[in-house]
Every structure is written in structure tokens, then in C-alpha cells.
Amino acid sequence: MLTITAALPWEAQAARAGQAIAGRGRVRILTTGVGPDRARDAAEEAIERHQLSHVISIGVAGGLTNTLRRPSITLPTSIIRQTDGATFQPDDQLRKQAIRLLNRADIFWQSVTSITTPDILFTRPEKKAAADSGAEIVQMEDAEWAEACAEADIPFVSVRVVMDALDDDIPNEVVQWRGKPSAVDIAVGAFRRPRLLPELISLGLQRQSAMQELERAMTLIIPALAPDQPDSDE
């Protein structure tokens, strides 16, 4: 079975339309929670309990440069784990299949080096320290999935959408948003710190646009890459 993994429910939502087209028996969506520890636990449990044909990790990534188009889909060629410097390569064939599908639909994408960090990077100095590794985007789960899948000989690829840039500081309030921020989310943040209002509105629009782009990509990729035969290990 094709397995889609995302850290948060609102990120996983980008895969729902693709799953509906492919059929639930062909596609499983896992929501793991944020961070490498949760990702590792979820990966090991999924590999032990289920028959995984291949795994796609999806969600938002932070930009570690100011040159990446935003929003845009990224397909990492390598994934660095910040804590120990280990590097993992996504499955080349699976990645090329995803690229062909995106190209056929004229969906813009970019090749990048990605880094998995144990903490959210809010400020430019924090992002710059991660960028010094050579990474262009940052996320918090992919290295763990990549390693677990490699050990189990399961093809793995990451499809992330970039929302912000190196010079964009991320307010703490954004972490509390559950998907598309509501007017109440933005109003609460602005009430606490009125100067943030324009920035929060801008980030809200960026997140909405990013998730629309990711959903568009996954609605195309999931049905095409799901196995022909439904899985019966549920």
C-alpha cells in the first residue's frame, strides 16, 4: 500500500483528494505528530504492522535561502539529519516518477537539499545555522522516515511545499494555527502583539497558497503511484 505521512492533520489534508480518487484500500495516510522522535516511532510501527509498497512524506517546509520560489513544490535529492550529520537519499526511481507527473501537469517544482532539525527554526540566525549545512529547506521528520525505509528496503520520497524564506522570521503564533488560519487566529495574535497584524495576514495567505499547491500536486501523484491492487492488511 502507498503510505502518505505528514506531521500534522492540516498537512495530511492535502492528500485526501488523491486518496479519494485512488481508493482508501490503495492509500494509507498517517499523521505522526511533529518532530524526529515521533516520526521515527511512527515509521517503525508502520513498517512492523503493515505492508508498505512505498512512502511519501508531505507537508510544509521552511526555506533556508531567499531564492526559492514560494510557494513551490520541492523534491529533495538528499536529506541531512542535523543532529549527527547523516545524509539519506530518497528513492531515485520513485522521485523520477513524481517529477514526470508534475512535469506532465506543468506543476512547478524544484530540486533541493533538505535538512531535518529537532526544533522549529523561527529566526534568520537559526535558519542560517541550518543553511550552513548546504540545505535549502528545513523540516522535522524526513530523515527518520528516510532511514527507516532504507533499512526496510521500502522506496521513500519527500514532497514538500516551501512557504517562507531565509529572511522571514516566523512568529510563535503561527505554530498554533491548525491549517488555514481563521480570522480569530489572526485577531488573537494581533491582539497580543498589534504590530504583527500585517505579518500574520501575509503568513496566513502564504500558508493557504502553499497548501493549495501541495494538494494540487498530491491529487495528481497519489492515484498514479498507488498500487494497482488494494491492500488487505488493515
Side-chain angles (χ1 to χ4, degrees), residues 5-9 11 30-40 42 140-141 145 160:
T5 176
L8 294 168
E11 292 177 305
L30 297 180
T31 303
T32 66
V34 176
D37 290 342
R38 291 191 176 105
R40 169 61 70 165
M140 298 179 66
E141 296 82 27
W145 273 100
R160 295 271 180 169

Side-chain angles (χ1 to χ4, degrees), residues 77-90:
T77 56
S78 61
I79 301 166
I80 303 166
R81 183 161 55 204
Q82 188 182 46
T83 52
D84 62 3
T87 301
F88 309 95
Q89 278 71 45

Side-chain angles (χ1 to χ4, degrees), residues 15-24 26-27 215-216 218-224 226:
R16 297 296 178 189
Q19 182 191 44
I21 295 169
R24 290 183 179 272
R26 298 170 62 203
V27 181
E215 181 175 7
R216 181 181 171 219
M218 298 316 300
T219 301
L220 177 72
I221 290 172
I222 290 172

Side-chain angles (χ1 to χ4, degrees), residues 106-121:
D106 200 26
I107 295 177
F108 183 82
W109 62 273
Q110 301 177 91
S111 288
V112 294
T113 297
S114 181
I115 188 168
T116 297
T117 61
D119 301 301
I120 298 172
L121 309 183

Side-chain angles (χ1 to χ4, degrees), residues 141-210:
E141 296 82 27
D142 287 354
E144 302 306 321
W145 273 100
E147 183 177 43
C149 286
E151 291 170 349
D153 198 26
I154 298 169
F156 168 86
V157 73
S158 171
V159 180
R160 295 271 180 169
V161 62
V162 177
M163 193 183 87
D164 62 328
L166 175 65
D167 287 342
D168 295 332
D169 285 352
I170 305 299
N172 290 335
E173 287 81 359
V174 173
V175 179
Q176 307 303 319
W177 292 349
R178 300 191 177 194
K180 177 183 175 181
S182 65
V184 172
D185 290 329
I186 293 175
V188 168
F191 177 78
R192 292 172 179 166
R193 292 192 283 169
R195 293 181 182 179
L196 280 181
L197 181 58
E199 186 175 356
L200 289 172
I201 292 174
S202 177
L203 285 168
L205 293 173
Q206 284 177 237
R207 177 175 286 188
Q208 181 180 357
S209 179

Side-chain angles (χ1 to χ4, degrees), residues 1 25 28 46-52 230-234:
M1 178 179 286
R28 178 186 296 106
I47 290 168
E48 180 180 352
R49 293 182 56 190
H50 303 292
Q51 296 179 359
L52 310 185
D231 194 3
S232 59
D233 74 345
E234 292 296 325

